[in-house]
Amino acid sequence: MEIQQRPFHLVVFGASGFTGQFVTEEVAREQVSPGRSTRLPWAVAGRCRERLQRVLERAAMKLGRPTLPSEVGIIICDITNPASLDEMAKQAAVVLNCVGPYRFYGEPVVKACIENGASCIDICGEPQFLELMYWKYHEKAAEKGVYIIGSSGFDSIPADLGVIYTRNKMNGTLTAVESFLTLHAGPEGLCTHDGTWKSAVYGFADKSNLKKLRNESNLKPVPVVGPKLKRRWPVSYCRELNSYSIPFLGADVSVVKRTQRYLHENLEQSPVQYAAYITMGGITSIIKLMFAGLFLLFFVRFGIGRQLLVKFPWLFSFGYFSKQGPTQKQIDAASFTLTFFGQGYSQGLSPDKSKPNIRICTQVKGPEAAYVATPIAMVQAAMTLLNDASDLPKAGGVFTPGAAFCRTKLIERLNQHGIEFSVISSSEV
């Protein structure tokens, strides 16, 4: 990557959007972090100079750095104007793309970055977009030597690197992992901005095309090592966490599976089976969520239904999503815990003929998921791209976070920034 020749190491595209403002703040923090030995020239990019200026002024006030707006470049560009995207990409070593839903707005940015030699990181949780970008652009990105790394926010760095961390900490061969996400809220509850809700609405509406894309890709199945991981019931009870859980419908499973395929095919590692769940506490929460899920699945089938879902997110999601997003109080009081239960075989034991004889439990803990953990994950992924170049896959390409960063210091960076990976227990059975 031509870092030195570019005016900006990082460019936050969509900096004035809801999530983009938090990413902007996080880059501003990184710019003055105590361990930094070199300058970090960076810029914000978007359609409206005044809005970008306001975001920088807000960040300056919040961080107590009055000179911040004068230290940051401003690039005016628009998703509907390819020439302006090219101009942005020419000035950046790494573009942090915060403009979603990515199924509508993501591809022009990927294209501009590849054509102009910039790497690109996004925080997309939309499997269809992520997988389509791989099929369309992996070879072109590799030719240019640039890295296009999707799902580098809360979707799906904790899950993807959590499975790799669990494998690295097991004294033997890890064959299967179940993860359970617990979202902790303060007295005012949890809320997410409706941008995430829109992505989910359009994703569910178009799931037949995702199926088609996977069928057409005609991939060889990844071998199953050890007993096949059984799926849990749609509502199941997790004794270890003393909580009910339902399948987690985000991008994590899709991303982890793609990483495991990459590690198996390129680094000859034993693939890990994976299933993801989210804990729901009591039965009341389960019932609320089931109703929200039923509304979503019914309404996404019709054009007018999708319009209603997008127009009234708060109503149809029972308050989980809103056009205003969470308050600062809600953000400050929230956190997440992602617990991994893994099983496998001690060294020298054959997975073909015996039962798994090692269990391991690990955790990734962090602050509020969408607007604190996501910016941290995204910015640290970008810093890893800039600083750990020799540990990245040799050629560029389109990668999952686990495929791109499995040999880098990203987990250490996250640990230092409040997203903590730890081993809870490990035992031979």
Side-chain angles (χ1 to χ4, degrees):
M1 292 189 323
E2 315 161 19
I3 295 167
Q4 301 314 325
Q5 293 85 341
R6 307 256 163 163
F8 303 115
H9 288 184
L10 301 180
V11 171
V12 182
F13 178 53
S16 57
F18 194 83
T19 307
Q21 347 176 25
F22 293 100
V23 173
T24 300
E25 277 174 31
E26 191 56 34
V27 177
R29 280 189 199 95
E30 182 59 35
Q31 187 190 14
V32 294
S33 68
R36 167 154 300 289
S37 55
T38 54
R39 258 180 83 249
L40 181 66
W42 65 290
V44 290
R47 287 178 301 186
C48 173
R49 183 177 292 275
E50 289 72 30
R51 286 183 67 190
L52 293 168
Q53 194 67 43
R54 277 202 300 275
V55 166
L56 290 173
E57 284 161 10
R58 219 169 20 243
M61 208 162 75
K62 200 167 170 184
L63 302 174
R65 284 174 54 200
T67 60
L68 180 68
S70 62
E71 297 163 17
V72 183
I74 291 181
I75 300 170
I76 304 305
C77 62
D78 189 335
I79 209 80
T80 60
N81 179 345
S84 72
L85 294 178
D86 288 340
E87 213 40 58
M88 170 184 71
K90 280 175 191 162
Q91 298 179 67
V94 181
V95 171
L96 304 183
N97 182 12
C98 304
V99 180
Y102 290 89
R103 67 171 54 245
F104 301 132
Y105 309 121
E107 189 171 352
V109 181
V110 169
K111 201 163 173 256
C113 285
I114 292 171
E115 284 172 4
N116 296 284
S119 288
C120 179
I121 288 178
D122 70 44
I123 43 178
C124 174
E126 305 162 43
Q128 189 180 344
F129 172 79
L130 295 164
E131 293 177 34
L132 184 63
M133 290 307 97
Y134 173 81
W135 290 113
K136 282 182 86 165
Y137 294 105
H138 180 64
E139 282 168 19
K140 289 178 191 168
E143 278 165 29
K144 287 280 195 171
V146 301
Y147 296 86
I148 307 297
I149 304 169
S151 53
S152 291
F154 179 71
D155 284 302
S156 292
I157 278 182
D160 203 15
L161 292 181
V163 172
I164 288 171
Y165 176 83
T166 307
R167 188 201 65 214
N168 293 346
K169 292 296 178 187
M170 181 177 251
N171 192 15
T173 304
L174 181 68
T175 59
V177 172
E178 289 183 313
S179 72
F180 291 84
L181 169 63
T182 305
L183 297 171
H184 312 282
E188 293 186 14
L190 290 170
C191 178
T192 304
H193 188 256
D194 73 326
T196 306
W197 173 255
K198 279 182 197 160
S199 297
V201 167
Y202 295 120
F204 280 114
D206 203 27
K207 65 179 193 290
S208 61
N209 277 328
L210 175 58
K211 207 172 177 181
K212 194 173 151 200
L213 175 68
R214 286 173 176 170
N215 289 339
E216 284 169 1
S217 62
N218 214 6
L219 290 167
K220 233 177 28 197
V222 173
V224 172
V225 180
K228 195 166 175 5
L229 184 60
K230 289 193 180 85
R231 279 191 178 182
R232 290 172 178 256
W233 288 92
V235 177
S236 63
Y237 186 72
C238 176
R239 272 177 310 146
E240 294 88 344
L241 298 174
N242 191 23
S243 181
Y244 286 95
S245 70
I246 59 172
F248 180 63
L249 298 177
D252 288 358
V253 172
S254 153
V255 172
V256 170
K257 281 183 173 172
R258 287 171 57 217
T259 295
Q260 292 305 314
R261 173 180 291 282
Y262 172 86
L263 297 176
H264 174 65
E265 292 176 352
N266 295 276
L267 304 181
E268 295 177 359
Q269 292 182 3
S270 176
V272 179
Q273 303 170 68
Y274 177 66
Y277 301 91
I278 180 166
T279 65
M280 294 307 303
I283 285 293
T284 318
S285 307
I286 293 270
I287 290 166
K288 254 170 91 172
L289 209 82
M290 278 170 74
F291 272 110
L294 287 170
F295 275 126
L296 183 65
L297 292 172
F298 177 74
F299 279 81
V300 294
R301 292 158 63 189
F302 318 103
I304 189 142
R306 291 193 288 279
Q307 284 171 19
L308 287 169
L309 288 168
V310 167
K311 199 170 178 186
F312 304 108
W314 191 85
L315 176 68
F316 288 106
S317 71
F318 289 86
Y320 287 116
F321 294 91
S322 79
K323 287 183 182 294
Q324 294 74 37
T327 62
Q328 193 59 51
K329 250 187 178 173
Q330 285 176 311
I331 290 171
D332 293 342
S335 62
F336 77 88
T337 306
L338 188 56
T339 307
F340 300 85
F341 295 104
Q343 62 178 35
Y345 296 83
S346 49
Q347 281 159 353
L349 199 66
S350 164
D352 302 332
K353 299 181 181 118
S354 44
K355 285 183 174 175
N357 73 323
I358 299 185
R359 294 196 190 286
I360 185 168
C361 173
T362 62
Q363 256 180 9
V364 180
K365 281 183 156 184
E368 189 277 336
Y371 311 109
V372 186
T374 285
I376 291 170
M378 187 184 212
V379 172
Q380 291 313 310
M383 298 318 296
T384 305
L385 261 191
L386 292 173
N387 297 308
D388 296 2
S390 61
D391 299 321
L392 297 168
K394 283 290 170 275
V398 178
F399 295 101
T400 58
F405 299 126
C406 61
R407 292 172 159 179
T408 67
K409 296 190 179 77
L410 179 54
I411 288 176
E412 289 166 42
R413 290 177 193 280
L414 294 170
N415 272 323
Q416 288 160 9
H417 286 79
I419 298 177
E420 294 165 11
F421 292 67
S422 62
V423 176
I424 303 301
S425 66
S426 182
S427 64
E428 291 209 19
V429 180

